[in-house]
Amino acid sequence: MGGAILSGLLGPGVVVEGGIRVTNRSVEKAEALASETVTSLATSVDPDANLRAVEGARIVLVGVKPAMVPDLLREIAGALEPDAVVVSVAAGVTVATMEALVPGAVLRSMPNTPSLVGRGVTGVAAGTRSTAADLDLVRSLFETVGDVLVVPESQIDALSTISGSGPAYVYFLIEQLTRTAVDLGFTEEQAQTMVNGTFVGAAQLLASSDSTPTELRIRVTSPKGTTERAVAELEKADLKGVFDRATAAALARSRELAAGA
Ligand SMILES: NC(=O)c1ccc[n+]([C@@H]2O[C@H](COP(=O)([O-])OP(=O)(O)OC[C@H]3O[C@@H](n4cnc5c(N)ncnc54)[C@H](OP(=O)(O)O)[C@@H]3O)[C@@H](O)[C@H]2O)c1
């Protein structure tokens, strides 16, 4: 996820004052990210890499696994600049947890994997010490990889069940429709061409038009036609109810994770 956001920062027209420093544990990863504009450090060969990376930084993005966040924040707390804002992408790590570990401003975020191609959706929640300027800065960071929604922290887990996990729901739908195409007699390759192409094409059509998904669906659905029959079957399956249960399950799991389960 950190790599995705780095690629946004390296995109055309993005100006980062004061340079970009990134860290990983492994040398291989660090070397792969190093460039003229990116100072890339590996903690395995430079134990102070994280401390050096945050020195002079106005914004510090924490992209490690959730369980590693507290130790990382303890490590860098003393090296942070007084005006540094720490923003974490870690699922389930609360503002309160982070504010207990660092002296200054923190924000919480929930990006998603399409950030890798600049089509991400990121939820951002302010902390109790962050200023409007901190929030603007963090918003502009995530806008380099897609759309940003600012929400209260109480909504971050719910947002995660929609846009954070959402790419998995889309891929799951693609997998199921591909199985149906194969059952209709198409080869695996033909099925993939049809289904992947249809999802990508439909999404791009949605992205490039001013119409709503409902309007676009109605346009494909001639009265008394074949699509109308198919959509009637989908309606019977109560997909809304299925998504209600799926997102409720994800929300319950995020509460378990926050409680350390
Ligand atoms: N994947 C998603 O869809 C998604 C969506 C939203 C949020 N997130 C959040 O993003 C975070 C990272 O997930 P990910 O899938 O990107 O994991 P990941 O690929 O394992 O990335 C974690 C990175 O942190 C580096 N790292 C670990 N410990 C470090 C340390 N002490 N100092 C410096 N670097 C260190 C690792 O480097 P090495 O590999 O060299 O050890 C690795 O590059 C998680 O907190 C997750 O909740 C993920």
Side-chain angles (χ1 to χ4, degrees), residues 21-25 30 33 39-43 49-51 53 72:
R21 293 178 292 283
V22 301
T23 64
N24 279 279
R25 286 178 298 193
L33 296 173
T39 304
S40 187
L41 310 167
T43 60
N50 287 327
L51 303 182
L72 184 77

Side-chain angles (χ1 to χ4, degrees), residues 6-257:
L6 176 63
S7 65
L9 288 179
L10 299 177
V14 179
V15 179
V16 181
E17 286 167 30
I20 303 170
R21 293 178 292 283
V22 301
T23 64
N24 279 279
R25 286 178 298 193
S26 60
V27 176
E28 300 74 39
K29 265 202 188 171
E31 280 176 354
L33 296 173
S35 70
E36 240 173 64
T37 36
V38 178
T39 304
S40 187
L41 310 167
T43 60
S44 59
V45 290
D46 179 356
D48 289 338
N50 287 327
L51 303 182
R52 295 209 285 129
V54 304
E55 212 178 285
R58 168 78 172 94
I59 181 161
V60 176
L61 181 84
V62 173
V64 298
K65 296 283 186 195
M68 298 174 173
V69 172
D71 279 348
L72 184 77
L73 293 184
R74 274 184 211 105
E75 180 188 341
I76 62 172
L80 292 167
E81 300 297 331
D83 69 342
V85 47
V86 175
V87 53
S88 153
V89 299
V93 180
T94 62
V95 162
T97 298
M98 293 192 286
E99 285 185 345
L101 295 167
V102 296
V106 308
L107 281 100
R108 205 176 144 185
S109 71
M110 179 46 62
N112 66 4
T113 52
S115 300
L116 275 164
V117 291
R119 304 290 318 214
V121 175
T122 302
V124 173
T128 66
R129 302 176 198 141
S130 61
T131 63
D134 295 334
L135 186 59
D136 279 350
L137 190 64
V138 171
R139 187 206 297 260
S140 62
L141 169 70
F142 288 108
E143 277 176 350
T144 65
V145 290
D147 294 329
V148 175
L149 272 86
V150 175
V151 296
E153 191 190 9
S154 57
Q155 281 193 308
I156 277 278
D157 287 339
L159 175 142
S160 175
T161 72
I162 304 290
S163 54
S165 305
Y169 312 158
V170 173
Y171 301 130
F172 188 69
L173 292 175
I174 290 173
E175 288 174 69
Q176 303 315 309
L177 189 56
T178 304
R179 286 173 58 194
T180 295
V182 169
D183 286 350
L184 282 172
F186 295 100
T187 65
E188 198 65 52
E189 202 186 342
Q190 288 173 321
Q192 281 172 18
T193 302
M194 279 190 286
V195 180
N196 296 2
T198 300
F199 269 77
V200 172
Q204 274 181 6
L205 184 58
L206 175 64
S208 64
S209 92
D210 292 331
S211 305
T212 64
T214 303
E215 287 163 349
L216 291 170
R217 174 173 57 75
I218 288 169
R219 236 172 268 165
V220 191
T221 314
S222 313
K224 299 196 168 53
T226 54
T227 309
E228 189 182 70
R229 286 279 176 89
V231 171
E233 284 302 315
L234 292 174
E235 272 173 0
K236 275 192 229 159
D238 186 23
L239 283 184
K240 162 74 169 64
V242 171
F243 279 125
D244 287 347
R245 293 196 298 281
T247 54
L251 202 51
R253 181 63 186 140
S254 65
R255 289 192 183 122
E256 284 173 15
L257 288 171

